[in-house]
């Protein structure tokens, strides 16, 4: 159901006499102070939504909360009930604790780990994560054991399919487009998986396809779905077993390349497609940056980009550069 107006109130005084239309703009123009907690909550909702590549309309439909109330929540002026937050968290595939901002208070060990890791640099956190991987998964997950499998990550339109096939041909190894493997396992298209079975089912198929690719092919080039980084378990699996390359591009190039393929998913229903795309890219960039290599596919033409990609990958693999 769609929650009525009373299910979410704005943080403004009820006698302000101002219309609910354009609440964020009105609040900003009046210079009203926003509650810091509500502002932080709204930022987390936007970040989680962007990371998962969802428009506000899509989250509103999945959570059964009106788009207007969801907008109030994201702008930091929506004082949502706990039930509304629970529905939004469900649509964003995260815990309510993560949405609220504190998921590390569940046990004394969590608190002690948080104390150890708090305020550490990204480099220190990466070393800690890799040490934990070796501790729990053994030496097989060490970087030296994963360098023969190359995984390309990035948003749709970055060039993963085109450059991936070219790289696989040059290296003489199989090219695996993980999205096609997912569809083969499910027996239907990616969009049908989401529509019929939901995001959780899609992630299970994604995990199965990734595990099988890693187990069957000791050497391969894998083109991954753009949203794989949104699932921590699947992304960890990829980082632990593959040498990863982030194919980076400008938002305009992403959009133009996808449009040239005759497909605007998942932006087709959005009137703010470019803004949505920029938010998705901003939300996922911190995850894409975990890749071993980064290559800007907007900086030069296809042949020059491929030459650079091949040279850098061969260097990682310890092969002579042609």
């Amino acid at each position: 159901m769609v929650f009525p107006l009373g299910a979410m109130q704005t943080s403004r005084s009820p006698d302000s006499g101002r219309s609910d239309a354009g609440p964020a703009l009105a609040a900003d123009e009046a210079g009203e102070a926003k509650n810091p907690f509500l502002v932080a909550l709204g930022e987390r909702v936007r970040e989680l939504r962007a990371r998962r590549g969802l428009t506000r309309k899509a989250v509103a439909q999945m959570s059964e909360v009106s788009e207007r109330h969801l907008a109030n929540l994201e702008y930091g002026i929506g004082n949502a009930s706990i039930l509304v937050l629970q529905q939004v968290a469900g649509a964003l595939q995260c815990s309510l604790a993560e949405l609220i901002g504190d998921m590390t208070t569940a046990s004394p060990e969590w608190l002690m780990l948080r104390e150890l890791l708090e305020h550490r640099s990204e480099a220190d956190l990466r070393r800690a994560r890799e040490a934990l991987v070796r501790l729990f998964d053994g030496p097989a997950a060490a970087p030296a054991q994963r360098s023969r499998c190359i995984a390309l990550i990035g948003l749709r339109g970055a060039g993963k399919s085109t450059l991936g096939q070219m790289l696989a041909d040059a290296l003489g190894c199989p090219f695996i487009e993980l999205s096609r493997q997912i569809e083969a396992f499910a027996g239907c298209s990616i969009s049908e998986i989401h529509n019929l079975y939901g995001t959780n089912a899609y992630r299970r198929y994604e995990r199965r396809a990734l595990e099988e690719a890693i187990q069957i092919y000791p050497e391969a080039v894998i083109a991954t779905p753009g949203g794989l980084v949104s699932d921590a378990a699947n992304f960890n699996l990829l980082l632990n077993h593959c040498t990863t390359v982030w194919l980076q591009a400008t938002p305009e190039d992403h959009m133009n390349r996808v449009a040239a393929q005759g497909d605007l998913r998942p932006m087709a229903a959005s009137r703010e497609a470019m803004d949505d795309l920029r938010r998705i890219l901003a939300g996922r960039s911190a995850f894409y940056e975990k890749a071993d290599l980064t290559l800007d596919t907007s900086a030069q033409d296809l042949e020059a980009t491929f030459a650079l990609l091949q040279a850098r990958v061969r260097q990682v693999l310890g092969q002579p550069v042609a």
Side-chain angles (χ1 to χ4, degrees):
M1 66 182 236
V2 176
F3 273 76
L5 182 59
M8 182 183 293
Q9 300 175 353
T10 66
S11 58
R12 299 190 302 277
S13 169
D15 59 356
S16 63
R18 190 179 294 114
S19 168
D20 283 320
L25 179 60
D28 288 344
E29 287 176 346
E32 295 180 8
K34 296 180 182 178
N35 183 289
F37 176 80
L38 295 180
V39 171
L41 174 62
E43 289 174 352
R44 279 191 295 274
V45 172
R46 287 199 304 274
E47 180 182 349
L48 287 164
R49 177 167 66 80
R51 191 182 305 166
R52 283 152 179 75
L54 297 170
T55 64
R56 187 182 296 149
K57 182 183 292 294
V59 174
Q61 290 174 344
M62 288 188 289
S63 63
E64 297 186 334
V65 173
S66 78
E67 190 175 358
R68 174 180 169 189
H69 293 156
L70 184 59
N72 284 344
L73 177 62
E74 290 192 356
Y75 283 124
I77 58 175
N79 191 359
S81 75
I82 194 69
L83 292 178
V84 169
L85 293 180
Q86 188 176 47
Q87 288 173 247
V88 172
L92 293 172
Q93 298 295 314
C94 69
S95 67
L96 185 58
E98 183 180 2
L99 188 66
I100 293 174
D102 189 1
M103 59 182 299
T104 58
T105 60
S107 71
E109 291 296 343
W110 259 118
L111 289 169
M112 294 168 72
L113 285 170
R114 185 177 68 179
E115 182 68 23
L116 284 171
L117 297 175
E118 196 170 11
H119 305 308
R120 301 285 183 179
S121 68
E122 280 293 305
D124 285 341
L125 291 174
R126 179 168 185 160
R127 285 195 293 272
R129 174 176 57 81
E130 290 173 349
L132 288 172
V133 167
R134 289 191 293 271
L135 174 64
F136 293 121
D137 294 346
Q145 301 297 319
R146 61 176 172 84
S147 61
R148 309 302 300 183
C149 204
I150 306 297
L152 307 180
I153 66 174
L155 289 183
R156 293 185 71 238
K160 292 174 294 183
S161 297
T162 301
L163 289 168
Q165 184 66 69
M166 294 170 69
L167 182 62
D169 291 342
L171 297 177
C173 66
F175 173 62
I176 302 164
E177 197 154 11
L178 212 59
S179 293
R180 304 289 78 81
Q181 300 298 107
I182 293 170
E183 291 178 333
F185 282 134
C188 59
S189 68
I190 297 294
S191 60
E192 288 173 325
I193 297 172
H194 283 289
N195 292 337
L196 295 174
Y197 309 116
T199 301
N200 288 339
Y202 170 79
R203 293 301 176 198
R204 289 195 298 271
Y205 285 120
E206 183 179 69
R207 176 81 177 196
R208 180 182 171 189
L210 180 57
E211 286 177 337
E212 182 165 301
I214 291 170
Q215 291 167 4
I216 293 177
Y217 303 102
E219 297 183 19
V221 176
I222 303 173
T224 67
L228 184 142
V229 299
S230 300
D231 185 274
N234 290 350
F235 191 36
N236 266 324
L237 180 65
L238 188 76
L239 291 174
N240 295 340
H241 291 86
C242 301
T243 295
T244 49
V245 183
W246 175 21
L247 297 185
Q248 192 178 27
T250 65
E252 291 77 14
D253 275 350
H254 279 295
M255 184 66 77
N256 291 337
R257 291 168 184 174
V258 172
Q261 299 167 9
D263 186 358
L264 286 174
R265 285 182 305 139
M267 301 299 179
S270 174
R271 291 176 297 178
E272 302 173 345
M274 187 58 71
D275 287 341
D276 286 335
L277 181 59
R278 288 194 176 97
R279 279 191 288 268
I280 292 170
L281 186 57
R284 291 179 182 171
S285 287
F287 293 86
Y288 289 144
E289 288 170 356
K290 300 297 181 187
D292 300 289
L293 302 170
T294 298
L295 182 65
D296 186 350
T297 65
S298 292
Q300 56 273 312
D301 62 24
L302 177 61
E303 292 303 322
T305 300
F306 171 66
L308 183 57
L309 173 62
Q310 182 180 193
R312 297 185 67 181
V313 168
R314 285 188 183 277
Q315 185 177 22
V316 169
L317 296 177
Q319 297 180 357
V321 179

